[in-house]
């Protein structure tokens, strides 16, 4: 498969989500990928996949499917990231709210490689309402779970009859186990109905 990993650096100020969506949609368009494009979102990018798909369709390009890769799932009603976290892991969301209320930023890890990818954020990021198009899902959806905290999302995906692939690879397998991560996405793509075999 021809692939593109978007490199987003234009979402450091509000509106964070729409800046991310616009940058991702622009990079995908500029890459000239053949339709239909399958959108894969990791971690916190998951809830933004429907809006990226909407931007793609608005530009008259087909979306072949969505793969949530150890990612939060979108929810209608424009919830905030904190509201999504309260649904997924109330205890963690409570601790995160306390950290953010005290002026902290998340993530507050000390691993430089992970921090370079994660870009710690303040409270305004986590309390921003996330866009969600009303007609989603508009294409087949699959879920890849690689770490324990996302088991809830995998169960929700199964409940929606979406294909689910599970591997114990940790939350950042693109860094630690890139071949196994690629294989898991490939398996999810094989399970998506309506996609070409290549």
């Amino acid at each position: 498969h021809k692939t593109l990993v978007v490199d987003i650096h234009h979402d450091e100020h509000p509106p964070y989500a729409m800046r991310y969506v616009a940058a991702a949609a622009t990079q995908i368009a500029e890459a000239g990928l053949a339709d239909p494009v399958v959108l894969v979102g990791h971690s916190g990018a998951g809830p933004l996949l429907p809006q990226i798909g909407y931007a793609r369709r608005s530009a008259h390009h087909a979306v072949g499917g969505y793969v949530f890769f150890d990612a939060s799932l979108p929810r209608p009603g424009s919830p905030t990231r904190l509201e999504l976290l309260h649904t997924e892991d109330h205890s963690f969301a409570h601790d995160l709210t306390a950290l953010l209320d005290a002026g902290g930023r998340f993530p507050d890890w000390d691993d430089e490689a992970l921090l370079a990818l994660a870009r710690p954020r303040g409270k305004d990021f986590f309390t921003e309402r996330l866009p969600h198009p009303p007609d989603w899902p508009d294409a087949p959806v699959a879920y890849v779970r690689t770490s324990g905290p996302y088991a809830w999302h995998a169960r929700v995906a199964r409940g929606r009859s979406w294909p689910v692939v599970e591997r114990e690879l940790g939350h950042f397998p693109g860094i630690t186990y890139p071949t196994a991560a690629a294989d898991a996405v490939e398996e999810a793509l094989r399970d998506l109905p309506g996609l070409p075999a290549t």
Side-chain angles (χ1 to χ4, degrees), residues 80-166:
T80 68
R81 291 171 178 87
L82 266 180
E83 288 170 347
L84 290 174
L85 281 172
H86 273 286
T87 300
E88 300 157 9
D89 187 338
H90 184 73
S91 177
F92 174 71
H94 177 76
D95 293 344
L96 176 60
T97 300
L99 171 71
L100 297 172
D101 284 345
R105 294 169 67 80
F106 183 81
D108 56 356
W109 308 321
D110 56 9
D111 185 302
E112 289 184 21
L114 293 180
L115 279 176
L117 293 172
R119 298 178 294 148
R121 307 296 189 131
K123 186 174 182 179
D124 60 337
F125 176 83
F126 289 97
T127 56
E128 174 188 57
R129 299 248 163 238
L130 300 177
H132 190 282
D135 60 345
W136 192 87
D138 53 280
V141 182
Y143 196 91
V144 175
R145 184 195 65 80
T146 60
S147 70
Y150 288 86
W152 182 85
H153 298 281
R155 286 194 302 273
V156 170
R158 273 201 188 86
R160 295 176 181 173
S161 299
W162 297 345
V164 175
V165 175
E166 298 193 70

